[in-house]
């Protein structure tokens, strides 16, 4: 892709050097996540998509014999990680057009031609099911001669069978599969690594220290803010320096206000979650900071583990790696 990009810019610059940068931006926009994959940089939106739909893809693998890696890679590519218009308005994650046999709802969308007819589904699960049935047609029979773990030949075979006209289609699928480690979903047993944090495992012992309730969860020690609390007040009660207490809780030196019910740790948080769970499913109203406090995991470590920064937004249903 880089060679193609250079060639395009060289040709374009001969006619209009001032627009070279515009051309470059246009190519980035058109290629979207694929350019990102070629650059070997993982996308948070892609990771969220995989976490959300991998089980669905595995269900389709077990039911129809289609590699889950291929299903996920196609879903990511065709739907822009669920952000395309077809995905948002029609739950169509695979860009499947109406065809002569489709009797369900439809949506008009510009593709090779303007206002082409695409299938519209009630829910995403229906899109995944229809995609599997679509590949079970006679046209795609040669694909099933490959092993379910042979994602490279599956990717190449999809284009040979006419699923896509893009010559780079196989390379794009393979790049996504390898960048996001999707091949592991083509084998049974991946569920063993899919342990979610269970609130029940965070057993808390409550003691009275410093004239207030102190919560102990493993080696973690924290208090729950009550009305009138501040970092200064809690630091004085617990014999700590206020700047040290703020550092422990990943807040800035100037911060002092606390909300009733907020967790305030008295000892340095862990670099990773100390319980059995490997992932944490975000609930409504939670932030990355509130989750770091709840699990006792340092905020910067939680960000690093999930390829996030201070500007990143998390949504209910997202799964965060906590160890």
């Amino acid at each position: 892709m880089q060679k193609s990009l250079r060639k395009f810019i060289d040709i374009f610059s001969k006619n209009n050097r001032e627009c070279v940068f515009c051309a470059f931006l246009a190519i980035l926009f058109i290629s979207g996540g694929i350019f990102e994959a070629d650059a070997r940089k993982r996308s948070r939106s892609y990771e969220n998509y995989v976490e959300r739909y991998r089980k669905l893809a595995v269900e389709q693998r077990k039911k129809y014999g289609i590699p889950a890696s291929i299903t996920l890679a196609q879903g990511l590519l065709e739907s822009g990680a669920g952000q395309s218009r077809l995905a948002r308005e029609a739950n169509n994650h695979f860009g499947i057009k109406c065809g002569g046999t489709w009797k369900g709802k439809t949506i008009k969308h510009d593709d090779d031609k303007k206002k082409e007819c695409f299938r519209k589904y009630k829910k995403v699960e229906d899109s995944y099911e229809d995609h599997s049935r679509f590949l079970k047609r006679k046209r795609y029979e040669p694909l099933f001669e490959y092993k379910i773990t042979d994602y490279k030949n599956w990717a190449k075979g999809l284009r040979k069978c006419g699923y896509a006209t893009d010559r780079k289609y196989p390379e794009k699928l393979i790049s996504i599969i390898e960048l996001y480690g999707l091949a592991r979903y083509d084998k049974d047993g991946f569920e063993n690594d899919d342990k979610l944090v269970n609130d029940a495992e965070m057993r808390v012992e409550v003691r009275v220290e410093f004239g207030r309730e102190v919560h102990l969860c493993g080696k973690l020690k924290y208090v729950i803010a009550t009305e009138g609390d501040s970092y200064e007040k809690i630091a004085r009660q617990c014999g700590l320096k206020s700047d040290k207490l703020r550092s422990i809780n990943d807040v800035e030196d100037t911060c002092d206000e606390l909300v009733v019910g907020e967790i305030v740790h008295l000892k340095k948080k862990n670099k990773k979650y100390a319980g059995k769970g490997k992932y944490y499913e975000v609930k409504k109203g939670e932030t990355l900071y509130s989750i770091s406090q709840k699990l006792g995991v340092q905020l910067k470590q939680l960000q690093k583990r999930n390829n996030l920064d201070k500007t990143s937004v998390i949504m209910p249903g997202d799964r965060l790696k906590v160890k």
Side-chain angles (χ1 to χ4, degrees):
M1 180 170 184
Q2 291 177 347
K3 290 183 179 178
S4 304
L5 185 60
R6 291 195 195 99
K7 185 177 180 181
F8 181 90
I9 292 176
D10 286 341
I11 294 172
F12 200 92
S13 63
K14 290 178 181 178
N15 298 317
N16 192 341
R17 291 185 179 276
E18 292 180 357
C19 291
V20 171
F21 184 65
C22 297
F24 181 77
L25 290 179
I27 292 173
L28 290 183
F29 178 79
I30 292 169
S31 59
I34 302 310
F35 182 89
E36 184 171 54
D38 286 347
R40 309 306 293 174
K41 182 179 179 182
R42 292 168 68 99
S43 161
R44 178 60 184 165
S45 62
Y46 270 46
E47 290 178 335
N48 283 342
Y49 187 95
V50 173
E51 292 293 338
R52 186 165 293 177
Y53 298 117
R54 57 183 175 166
K55 287 187 177 180
L56 187 54
V58 170
E59 289 174 8
Q60 296 300 306
R61 167 175 67 80
K62 293 179 178 179
K63 187 175 181 180
Y64 292 100
I66 300 167
S69 62
I70 289 292
T71 300
L72 284 170
Q74 284 192 282
L76 283 162
L77 181 58
E78 301 290 349
S79 76
Q83 299 303 308
S84 70
R85 176 174 176 261
L86 285 177
R88 290 183 287 104
E89 297 182 18
N91 288 317
N92 188 333
H93 282 229
F94 299 92
I96 298 179
K97 297 180 181 180
C98 296
T101 60
W102 179 248
K103 296 181 180 180
K105 292 185 177 181
T106 64
I107 183 174
K108 297 294 183 181
H109 183 70
D110 294 346
D111 193 47
D112 296 325
K113 300 177 182 178
K114 286 190 175 184
K115 295 185 178 180
E116 289 193 82
C117 183
F118 286 83
R119 301 182 183 188
K120 186 175 183 178
Y121 307 97
K122 288 184 179 180
K123 53 186 185 295
V124 176
E125 288 81 355
D126 295 337
S127 177
Y128 270 70
E129 178 74 15
D130 194 40
H131 169 261
S132 295
R133 290 179 179 177
F134 190 83
L135 292 185
K136 291 296 287 186
R137 297 188 305 170
K138 187 173 183 179
R139 179 179 186 176
Y140 298 101
E141 280 183 357
L143 293 174
F144 294 87
E145 296 177 7
Y146 302 123
K147 292 182 180 180
I148 203 164
T149 54
D150 189 0
Y151 64 84
K152 289 185 178 180
N153 273 321
W154 269 82
K156 295 172 184 176
L158 278 167
R159 184 176 181 276
K160 287 180 182 178
C161 292
Y163 192 97
T165 57
D166 182 0
R167 292 185 297 105
K168 297 277 188 179
Y169 194 73
E171 295 175 27
K172 292 175 180 179
L173 291 182
I174 293 169
S175 178
I176 291 172
I177 290 169
E178 294 180 347
L179 181 58
Y180 293 92
L182 304 185
R184 67 182 182 273
Y185 303 125
D186 294 334
K187 302 175 183 178
D188 290 327
F190 87 91
E191 295 91 344
N192 294 331
D193 296 325
D194 190 33
K195 296 178 180 177
L196 283 175
V197 172
N198 187 335
D199 288 349
E201 72 183 52
M202 294 188 287
R203 297 185 182 87
V204 177
E205 179 185 348
V206 181
R207 300 177 183 176
V208 176
E209 296 182 28
F210 320 113
R212 64 185 301 155
E213 288 186 346
V214 175
H215 300 248
L216 291 94
C217 181
K219 295 182 179 181
L220 296 172
K221 181 185 283 191
Y222 62 89
V223 298
I224 305 295
T226 57
E227 190 173 352
D229 269 339
S230 67
Y231 285 103
E232 290 284 353
K233 180 180 177 180
I234 293 174
R236 285 197 305 270
Q237 288 178 331
C238 301
L240 295 170
K241 291 183 178 180
S242 58
D243 58 345
K244 175 68 175 178
L245 186 62
R246 292 188 184 91
S247 176
I248 289 172
N249 288 277
D250 298 313
V251 297
E252 296 185 8
D253 293 340
T254 56
C255 180
D256 197 42
E257 294 183 2
L258 284 166
V259 177
V260 174
E262 192 172 347
I263 292 173
V264 180
H265 286 273
L266 305 180
K267 290 187 175 182
K268 189 175 182 179
K269 293 183 288 182
N270 299 316
K271 289 186 176 181
K272 61 182 180 180
Y273 179 59
K276 294 180 179 179
K278 186 176 181 180
Y279 297 93
Y280 181 83
E281 189 167 294
V282 179
K283 301 176 181 61
K284 186 177 180 179
E286 290 185 320
T287 64
L288 197 64
Y289 179 73
S290 70
I291 293 170
S292 77
Q293 292 294 91
K294 178 181 179 179
L295 303 183
V297 178
Q298 295 170 24
L299 181 60
K300 63 180 180 181
Q301 293 296 333
L302 198 57
Q303 290 172 330
K304 183 178 179 181
R305 190 165 278 112
N306 291 279
N307 193 28
L308 298 171
D309 57 34
K310 293 180 180 180
T311 62
S312 300
V313 177
I314 58 174
M315 302 292 289
D318 287 351
R319 289 190 178 184
L320 301 173
K321 293 180 182 179
V322 295
K323 61 170 31 173

